[in-house]
């Protein structure tokens, strides 16, 4: 199977052959190659091999665009090219490159202009459909030469509908009028605006959903001032229009319908009156719930549009509250065990809209494009509303749901081409902004401080310091897809986050970064920005950093002066020089958008940028002059200044070496191209020589045939004369004819052998030439190999020396780590003793306070007891007098009892030893009564 690079090469070669010689054979061959490429790029196939920033795909696209823009090209070939471009525009990067770098839009307009006269022409319809896809999301200036003719064609076929051109013309017109004041003013000043409004109103009837959306969009953006067009967006009809849009969003039969429905809602949200109408719409909660359910079942293209819709709805405060309420309605019943693996969990297993949004935000930007970025924007809106609200429920749950996905995004390595790094940096910026939003709440702040590793943040800062063009201060112009500005935003947001978090390690990191001179270009770029939020954030960071001792204030001021001087020179140069190249764009913004003037250069070497040498010399001279001026400063910051300038010189040297390598590669490619051209010319000469030889043989054969014809007439006469001799010589004639046949066969074989011998000789000569060139290349490669071996030996020696040094340093590091561990253990012991003493002191203080309170209460009780004691003493004195009297009486009674006992004993002895019961009972009774008394 043919590989993709070979296929692209074959398309380029076939295109060059067709352009050089427009014959039927070359046309058929080119169409066959384009058909193969169409099957290779059909829906579902990967388009990674068709990266427009590479040389071969860029050359292929350029050749095909030139064929499409050529009016003399046959319509069948143009249709093949349009089908190929229709497959390529499914990739967003290729679609943007086709419009911005390869200028396919003017080529399609020329196709429409030349083939759009016949109604329902297939080529024109395909060109309009392709133009609709390319112009989607692009803002084209009205100053382009083709705009007026294109708008006239579109308005004609929209105001007066035809069968085949109406729908794609409306789609292109919707794309051109979105956020483009100059195009809108041209259409509104057109004479047929009333007819256009009436036609659009009629198209709202029994039409496909796409036609209805196109009509509503044009009525809102173009015909809102007309009486017929504005009635659909009045206060009474706006709810019905909103309901129609939400219905089409839910019941969309294609991704295009959902895309334009979201765009229509976004356009409606730009009108303050419609914002209020949407906030008062009674069925908005139901519509939002139905829209959120799409997040768990949508594809990538549909999901990004739904995220954009919800983010746009959050611009209105009341609608934002409803969106957040609908998003957080079912979140509290989820299981927290699934949170760390949300990005890897299949979307079909996620039923909650918020978790589905977190799932989309954790996807790779390399695979899913801007979908994760849109999901992060929506999360920022949702959690910002949650943080600044009075609801303090499920804070830890929200952090545990979002934080793993955010940390996974921050841990993605920044490698690949510039477009890949740009998307990854944008995702990281949005993640850090989300963390900064959480830091406004104290409970969130403590949780983030515990869970965010400072190593990830330090790694991101170091990468920006080492690779960002702003930090390198290179004199060469950065590429068009440079990610330096996004990197500046990432550094500023990271510094803001590190300054907010409550962690000792992060505080140390913040101090080290703010004392480093590498952060100065980023702070200077932030202060010189035109974005108010970025300037404010940079000033807050500088206020925090200025409190430190080693903050490079002088270097920051020098960097600001350098940036301001460069900006002044740039503005003076731009005011004195105007672009004259026909392919350079001028994007003139309207009232609603700020005026921006930008030029897009066209490179003749397949998209490779080579900086002008004079610019590099000027930048070096300015660097030398600034170095001389800075040497006049005699203070303690001179080593830092010298370090900055040394890094700038090193960056210039590496850039120059890179450009030299690119130049050598380009010269090698040119020599290879010259060699291929020489081979092509030699083969062409051989073919022409072979053609001339065959033509001479044909002429000789024709002459021979004419001679044979004359001989046959003479022989016929002789046959008439010598009819009798014919019979005798008939046998000999047969023999001669057989000999003649053999001779003819031998002559044919001889001619074929001679032709084969000549061709072999020529191929032998060409092979000998190629062998000589290959031997020369082999000798060169051997020399280069010897040089590389010498360099390798030197590198190995250096490596061994570095390994010895590394071992020494590792031993020193181990000893220092052991000492550090001992000191840490001692510190921990001291901290433990200190905490224990503090706890004992606190317990003693509490016991003292208790004793004091008990003492006061005991004193009061003591007073009361003293009073009671005095009373009791008085009562006791009285009772003691009574007791003494009682004791005297008892003594008297005891004496009487003793007397009675003696009498009883006497009576007993008199009665003969047997006591009488009556006397004993009487004696006991008398004793008891006396005792009672």
């Amino acid at each position: 199977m043919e590989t993709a690079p070979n296929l692209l090469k074959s398309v380029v070669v076939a295109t060059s052959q067709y352009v050089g010689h427009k014959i039927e054979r070359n046309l058929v061959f080119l169409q066959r190659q384009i058909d193969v490429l169409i099957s290779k790029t059909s829906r579902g196939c990967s388009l990674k091999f068709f990266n427009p920033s590479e040389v071969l795909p860029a050359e292929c696209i350029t050749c095909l665009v030139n064929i499409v823009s050529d009016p003399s090209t046959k319509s069948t070939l143009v249709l093949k090219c349009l089908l190929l471009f229709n497959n390529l525009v499914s990739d967003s990067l290729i679609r943007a490159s086709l419009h911005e770098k390869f200028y396919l839009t003017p080529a399609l307009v020329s196709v429409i202009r030349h083939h759009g006269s016949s109604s329902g022409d297939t080529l024109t319809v395909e060109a309009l459909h392709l133009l609709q896809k390319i112009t989607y999301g692009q803002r084209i200036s009205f100053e382009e030469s083709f705009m007026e003719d294109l708008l006239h064609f579109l308005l004609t076929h929209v105001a007066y509908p035809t069968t085949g051109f109406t729908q794609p013309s409306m789609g292109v017109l919707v794309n051109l009028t979105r956020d483009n004041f100059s195009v809108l003013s041209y259409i509104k000043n057109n004479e047929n605006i009333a007819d256009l409004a009436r036609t659009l109103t009629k198209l709202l009837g029994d039409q496909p959903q796409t036609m209805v959306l196109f009509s509503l969009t044009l009525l809102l953006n173009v015909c809102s001032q007309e009486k017929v067009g504005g009635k659909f967006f009045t206060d009474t009809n706006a709810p019905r229009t909103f309901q129609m849009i939400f219905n089409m969003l839910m019941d969309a039969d294609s991704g295009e319908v959902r895309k334009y429905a979201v765009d229509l809602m976004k356009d409606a949200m730009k009108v303050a009156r419609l914002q209020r109408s949407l906030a008062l719409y009674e069925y908005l909660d139901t519509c939002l719930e139905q829209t959120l359910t799409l997040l768990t079942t949508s594809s990538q293209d549909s999901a990004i549009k739904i995220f954009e819709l919800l983010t746009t709805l959050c611009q209105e405060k009341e609608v934002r509250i409803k969106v957040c309420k609908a998003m957080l309605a079912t979140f509290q019943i989820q299981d927290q065990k699934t949170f760390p693996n949300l990005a890897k969990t299949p979307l079909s297993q996620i039923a909650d809209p918020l978790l589905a949004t977190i799932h989309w935000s954790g996807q790779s930007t390399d695979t899913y494009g801007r979908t994760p970025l849109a999901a992060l924007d929506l999360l920022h809106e949702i959690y910002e509303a949650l943080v600044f609200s009075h609801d303090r429920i499920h804070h830890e749950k929200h952090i545990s749901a979002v934080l793993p996905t955010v940390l996974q995004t921050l841990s993605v390595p920044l490698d690949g081409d510039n477009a890949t790094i740009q998307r990854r940096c944008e995702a990281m910026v949005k993640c850090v902004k989300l963390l900064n939003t959480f830091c406004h709440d104290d409970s969130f702040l403590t949780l983030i401080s515990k869970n965010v590793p400072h190593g990830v943040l330090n790694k991101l800062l170091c990468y920006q310091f080492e690779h960002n063009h702003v930090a390198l201060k290179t004199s060469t112009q950065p590429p068009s897809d440079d990610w330096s500005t996004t990197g500046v935003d990432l550094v500023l947001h990271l510094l803001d986050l590190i300054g907010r978090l409550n962690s000792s390690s992060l505080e140390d990191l913040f101090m080290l970064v703010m004392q480093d001179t590498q952060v100065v270009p980023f702070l200077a770029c932030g202060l010189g920005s035109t974005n108010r939020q970025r300037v404010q954030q940079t000033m807050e960071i500088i206020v925090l950093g200025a409190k430190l001792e080693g903050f490079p204030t002088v270097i920051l001021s020098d960097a600001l002066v350098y940036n301001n001087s460069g900006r002044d020179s740039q503005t003076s140069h731009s005011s004195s020089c105007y672009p004259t190249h026909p392919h350079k764009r001028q994007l003139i913004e309207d009232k609603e958008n700020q005026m921006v003037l930008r030029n897009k250069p066209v490179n003749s070497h397949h998209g490779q940028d080579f900086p002008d040498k004079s610019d590099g010399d000027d930048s070096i001279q300015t660097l030398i002059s600034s170095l001389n001026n800075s040497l006049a400063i005699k203070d303690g910051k001179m080593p830092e200044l010298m370090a900055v300038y040394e890094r700038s010189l090193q960056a210039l040297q590496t850039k120059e070496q890179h450009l030299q390598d690119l130049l050598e590669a380009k010269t090698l490619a040119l020599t290879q191209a010259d060699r291929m051209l020489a081979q092509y010319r030699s083969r062409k000469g051989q073919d022409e020589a072979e053609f001339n030889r065959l033509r001479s043989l044909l002429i000789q054969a024709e002459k021979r045939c004419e001679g044979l014809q004359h001989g046959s007439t003479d022989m016929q006469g002789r046959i008439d004369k010598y009819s009798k001799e014919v019979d005798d010589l008939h046998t000999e004639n047969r023999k001669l004819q057989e000999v003649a046949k053999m001779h003819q066969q031998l002559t044919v074989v001889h001619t074929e052998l001679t032709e084969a011998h000549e061709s072999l000789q020529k191929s032998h000569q060409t092979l000998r030439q190629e062998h000589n060139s290959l031997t020369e290349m082999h000798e060169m490669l051997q020399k280069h190999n010897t040089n590389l071996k010498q360099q390798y030996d030197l590198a190995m020696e250096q490596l061994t020396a570095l390994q010895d040094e590394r071992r020494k340093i590792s031993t020193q590091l181990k000893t220092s780590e052991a000492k550090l561990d001992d000191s840490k253990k001692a510190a921990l012991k001291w901290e433990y003793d200190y905490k224990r003493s503090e706890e004992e002191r606190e317990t003693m203080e509490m016991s003292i306070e208790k004793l004091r309170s008990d003492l006061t209460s005991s004193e009061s009780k003591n007073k009361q007891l003293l009073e009671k004691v005095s009373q009791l003493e008085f009562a006791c004195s009285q009772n003691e007098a009574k007791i003494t009297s009682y004791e005297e009486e008892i003594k008297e009674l005891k004496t009487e009892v003793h007397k009675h006992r003696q009498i009883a004993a006497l009576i007993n002895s008199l009665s003969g030893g047997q006591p009488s019961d009556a006397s004993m009972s009487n004696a006991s009774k008398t004793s008891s009564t006396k005792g009672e008394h």
Side-chain angles (χ1 to χ4, degrees), residues 537-548:
Q537 188 179 25
T538 309
M539 291 182 68
E540 292 176 355
I541 295 169
I542 292 174
V543 168
L544 291 176
K547 299 177 182 179
L548 304 175

Side-chain angles (χ1 to χ4, degrees), residues 45-76:
C45 298
S46 177
L47 298 177
K48 291 183 179 180
F49 73 95
F50 221 102
N51 188 2
S53 59
E54 296 179 358
V55 176
L56 194 57
E59 187 175 1
C60 180
I61 293 174
T62 304
C63 295
L64 295 176
V65 171
N66 292 332
I67 288 176
V68 172
S69 59
D70 189 4
S72 62
T73 307
K74 290 188 177 182
S75 59
T76 56

Side-chain angles (χ1 to χ4, degrees), residues 494-674:
L494 283 172
L495 292 176
D496 190 10
L497 177 63
I498 295 171
R500 291 177 184 271
L501 296 178
N502 297 326
S503 177
S504 59
S505 59
L506 291 176
E507 289 178 359
D508 296 338
L509 177 62
F510 184 75
M511 292 176 63
L512 290 174
V513 172
M514 295 306 294
Q515 291 173 357
D516 192 357
T517 56
Q518 290 180 336
V519 79
V520 170
F522 295 92
L523 297 177
C525 184
L527 287 177
S529 176
T530 57
N531 190 353
R532 181 177 63 85
Q533 186 177 4
R534 186 188 294 177
V535 175
Q536 182 180 0
Q537 188 179 25
T538 309
M539 291 182 68
E540 292 176 355
I541 295 169
I542 292 174
V543 168
L544 291 176
K547 299 177 182 179
L548 304 175
E549 295 180 357
F551 184 71
T553 308
V554 178
I555 303 176
L556 178 59
S557 61
D558 292 339
L560 286 172
V561 171
Y562 178 75
N563 290 341
N564 293 334
S565 62
R567 184 178 296 176
D568 294 338
S569 62
Q570 185 178 3
T571 52
S572 62
H573 179 72
S574 62
S575 62
S576 60
C577 299
Y578 293 93
T580 58
H581 198 281
H583 291 292
K584 291 184 178 180
R585 294 179 182 272
Q586 294 182 354
L587 296 181
I588 302 176
E589 301 289 337
D590 48 39
K591 298 178 183 176
E592 300 172 359
N593 302 299
Q594 294 181 350
M595 297 284 187
V596 177
L597 182 64
R598 63 183 181 183
N599 298 329
K600 296 186 178 179
V602 179
N603 300 320
S604 59
H605 296 286
H606 309 297
Q608 187 69 37
D609 295 333
F610 293 98
D612 192 44
K613 187 177 181 181
S614 62
D615 296 337
D617 295 336
D618 294 339
S619 62
I620 292 172
Q621 292 297 329
T622 55
L623 184 60
I624 292 171
S625 62
S626 61
L627 180 61
N628 292 326
N629 293 329
S630 64
L631 287 175
I633 303 172
K634 304 295 183 181
D635 57 357
K637 302 283 180 82
M638 282 301 296
E640 296 177 352
L641 289 172
M642 295 301 294
V644 172
Y645 290 125
E646 285 176 358
R647 279 199 299 273
S648 300
L649 289 173
Q650 290 176 1
L652 286 172
Q653 290 175 358
T654 55
K655 205 71 177 179
E656 184 179 2
Q657 184 66 30
H658 179 62
L659 291 174
Q660 188 67 27
D661 295 337
L662 290 175
L663 184 60
E664 291 176 358
K666 183 57 68 175
T667 53
L668 182 60
L670 288 174
T671 54
Q672 291 178 357
D674 293 334

Side-chain angles (χ1 to χ4, degrees), residues 853-868:
S853 61
D854 293 336
L855 183 60
T856 54
S857 62
S858 62
E859 284 177 355
S860 62
K861 290 180 180 180
N862 191 16
K863 290 180 182 179
Q864 294 177 0
L865 289 173
L866 288 174
E867 292 177 357
K868 290 181 179 179

